[in-house]
């Protein structure tokens, strides 16, 4: 028997449907924008085209916010704690690495920090799930 209510199951199903729809649109726009930008010579047009994937990425953010609002208060609190821990950990590492850049280490792309944040979110979520908190 599942520990989740039918409402929780339906909410998660709706979240996954919305999330994967946005991710699919993002992937199409991402690869399309890269393909189109390669053929452009004007820098401002290339910049506009390569920024287009940010629109469906904003859709993913919207889906996550909607999902958080659908959760009950306790689960929402746990999820927001996970986000705060992940963000704090990422900020600490970025801050620390900034000192290393000051002594000659290479600058890191923002994509590295985003990946670190998402990875931390996953690890903290798995740890909290293992402990039975979510």
């Amino acid at each position: 028997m599942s520990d989740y209510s039918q409402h929780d199951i339906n909410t998660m199903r709706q979240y996954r449907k919305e999330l994967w729809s946005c991710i699919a649109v993002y992937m199409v726009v991402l690869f399309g924008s890269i393909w189109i930008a390669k053929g452009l010579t004007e820098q401002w047009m290339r910049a506009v085209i390569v920024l287009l994937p940010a629109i469906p990425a904003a859709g993913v953010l919207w889906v996550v916010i909607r999902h958080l609002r659908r959760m009950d208060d306790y689960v929402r609190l746990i999820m927001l704690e996970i986000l705060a821990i992940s963000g704090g950990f990422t900020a600490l590492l970025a801050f620390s690495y900034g000192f290393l850049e000051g002594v000659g280490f290479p600058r890191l792309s923002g994509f590295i920090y985003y990946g670190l944040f998402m990875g931390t979110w996953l690890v903290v979520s798995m740890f909290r799930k293992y402990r039975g908190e979510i």
Side-chain angles (χ1 to χ4, degrees):
M1 188 162 130
S2 173
D3 290 339
Y4 299 103
S5 69
Q6 190 60 45
H7 172 74
D8 291 339
I9 293 168
N10 291 340
T11 298
M12 187 55 88
R13 189 174 292 138
Q14 181 68 25
Y15 168 69
R16 286 183 182 137
K17 181 176 137 186
E18 291 172 355
L19 180 67
W20 286 110
S21 296
C22 283
I23 289 173
V25 171
Y26 169 79
M27 295 300 288
V28 169
V29 174
L30 174 67
F31 289 113
S33 68
I34 292 169
W35 183 72
I36 291 170
K38 285 181 181 180
L40 298 175
T41 56
E42 293 193 42
Q43 188 67 18
W44 72 271
M45 276 296 281
R46 290 180 76 180
V48 169
I49 297 299
V50 298
L51 285 173
L52 287 176
I55 296 169
V60 170
L61 175 62
W62 175 74
V63 166
V64 170
I65 291 169
R66 279 176 45 100
H67 183 58
L68 283 170
R69 290 182 176 164
R70 290 181 192 137
M71 294 176 177
D72 68 46
D73 292 340
Y74 177 72
V75 175
R76 184 180 312 125
L77 175 66
I78 296 297
M79 288 300 186
L80 291 174
E81 284 178 1
I82 290 168
L83 284 168
I85 291 166
S86 303
F89 185 76
T90 303
L92 177 64
L93 287 177
F95 180 75
S96 299
Y97 192 80
F99 292 115
L100 295 174
E101 287 178 352
V103 294
F105 278 64
R107 291 200 177 272
L108 296 179
S109 166
F111 289 112
I112 298 294
Y113 296 113
Y114 173 74
L116 178 63
F117 173 74
M118 296 308 290
T120 305
W121 186 3
L122 175 67
V123 169
V124 174
S125 295
M126 290 171 53
F127 178 73
R128 298 293 289 265
K129 180 127 177 119
Y130 174 76
R131 288 181 45 189
E133 296 177 16
I134 56 173

